[in-house]
Amino acid sequence: MRRKPLNPGKGFKSRGSWAGAGLRDERDESHHCELYQAGSRDRRLAERAARQIESALATASLVPGNVTMAPGAGTTGIVVMKEHAIESEPYRRLVAELPCFWCGISGYSQHAHLNYGKGLGLKTDDRTGFPLCCSRPGIEGCHVAYDNYRLLESGGRQAHREYGIEAARFTREQILKAGLWPKKLPLWA
């Protein structure tokens, strides 16, 4: 369908002509920017960058030898796997049937991956997963808390990684002991 172009002077109005856009008054507290907010934003961005660098340095030693960096969009490159991580839907479903590893509730579990080794084009092995419960109305699930590093009260990211490694090991043992390990899935080395 062909549409008629906008006539000059019609269309979107500039913000300056909106009611109260440039005017300050005591009743309108939400539509202005205080001077201290600019510095606060810069501080928050610097803190966020420092956390991301700390996380990248902490996980750099955990990257397997079969990963290489290839030049790509941006300055960081794109992660390219030489071999893929093993993905197994039957194993993920088995893990999801177990009760939550943290709170023990049954019927709400999801397969939770470890929080390292993930990224653009890089997946973690499904055999390193463990059961954590999902969010429900009015309740934040353990899976969300784990992914946001809030499940454990102290220790930060490193404590969460160690917890995930131990939980994955225990989950693999339970599935093996029950004799439910999928036949086509190789055992964890």
Side-chain angles (χ1 to χ4, degrees):
M1 171 173 32
R2 186 167 227 187
R3 295 184 185 226
K4 180 180 170 186
L6 291 175
N7 293 331
K10 303 293 184 190
F12 295 108
K13 295 183 179 181
S14 72
R15 290 178 179 255
S17 65
W18 288 358
L23 306 173
R24 284 280 304 131
D25 108 18
E26 305 83 44
R27 296 172 307 208
D28 185 21
E29 292 296 324
S30 63
H31 299 299
H32 70 282
C33 178
E34 296 290 340
L35 294 176
Y36 70 87
Q37 286 180 332
S40 174
R41 180 177 185 274
D42 291 340
R43 181 183 46 77
R44 287 193 321 270
L45 288 174
E47 289 172 357
R48 181 178 180 189
R51 285 193 310 270
Q52 290 173 338
I53 288 172
E54 176 188 341
S55 176
L57 291 174
T59 59
S61 64
L62 303 172
V63 175
N66 62 347
V67 173
T68 183
M69 295 299 287
T75 58
T76 59
I78 298 172
V79 176
V80 178
M81 289 296 293
K82 292 182 183 174
E83 304 166 21
H84 351 320
I86 293 178
E87 295 181 8
S88 172
E89 181 68 22
Y91 185 78
R92 287 194 304 265
R93 289 183 184 272
L94 277 172
V95 171
E97 289 177 13
L98 297 172
C100 176
F101 196 78
W102 181 257
C103 69
I105 191 169
S106 294
Y108 294 99
S109 293
Q110 298 174 325
H111 179 272
H113 285 96
L114 291 175
N115 279 344
Y116 69 86
K118 295 190 285 188
L120 182 64
L122 182 63
K123 303 275 187 193
T124 59
D125 196 300
D126 282 344
R127 297 171 296 176
T128 63
F130 53 97
L132 287 177
C133 65
C134 63
S135 294
R136 301 164 308 278
I139 301 171
E140 179 185 56
C142 298
H143 194 168
V144 172
Y146 175 78
D147 283 343
N148 292 309
Y149 303 104
R150 292 192 312 262
L151 191 62
L152 303 174
E153 292 180 11
S154 63
R157 293 174 186 254
Q158 186 59 32
H160 279 79
R161 288 183 189 106
E162 291 170 3
Y163 177 80
I165 290 168
E166 184 59 27
R169 184 194 61 74
F170 184 79
T171 301
R172 287 189 301 270
E173 285 179 4
Q174 293 303 310
I175 291 174
L176 277 170
K177 284 179 185 176
L180 298 173
W181 192 271
K183 290 182 181 179
K184 294 182 180 179
L185 183 63
L187 293 174
W188 183 257

